[in-house]
Amino acid sequence: VVAGDQDPLVTPGDARRCFDESLSQDKTLLIFDAFGTGYHWGHVDLILGKQAPSIVWPALTGWLKQRA
């Protein structure tokens, strides 16, 4: 589950609830925030933001590659 700290559509709390309620045994919660990355993240920023290719995309592709 992925969320941004400034996402009004899927708040970090909403993301946490999705993560907690998922029955998957293989799950990860990623909350992107200014403390961890130096940038605040909105909903669209996670995929289309200027920093997404260097910060978010590697985190997502790394997670997928570990499971491929």
Side-chain angles (χ1 to χ4, degrees), residues 8-28:
L9 298 176
V10 181
T11 67
D14 294 336
R16 167 56 76 179
R17 282 188 291 279
C18 289
F19 176 82
D20 290 343
E21 293 183 23
S22 170
L23 299 179
S24 176
Q25 297 300 309
D26 183 15
K27 59 186 180 179
T28 302

Side-chain angles (χ1 to χ4, degrees), residues 23-65:
L23 299 179
S24 176
Q25 297 300 309
D26 183 15
K27 59 186 180 179
T28 302
L29 175 64
L30 295 174
I31 306 292
F32 290 90
D33 60 20
F35 179 75
T37 67
Y39 304 97
H40 288 290
W41 299 86
H43 194 76
V44 176
D45 296 324
L46 292 166
I47 300 300
L48 300 176
K50 290 192 313 187
Q51 304 305 323
S54 63
I55 297 174
V56 180
W57 298 359
L60 298 179
T61 58
W63 191 92
L64 292 169
K65 285 178 181 178

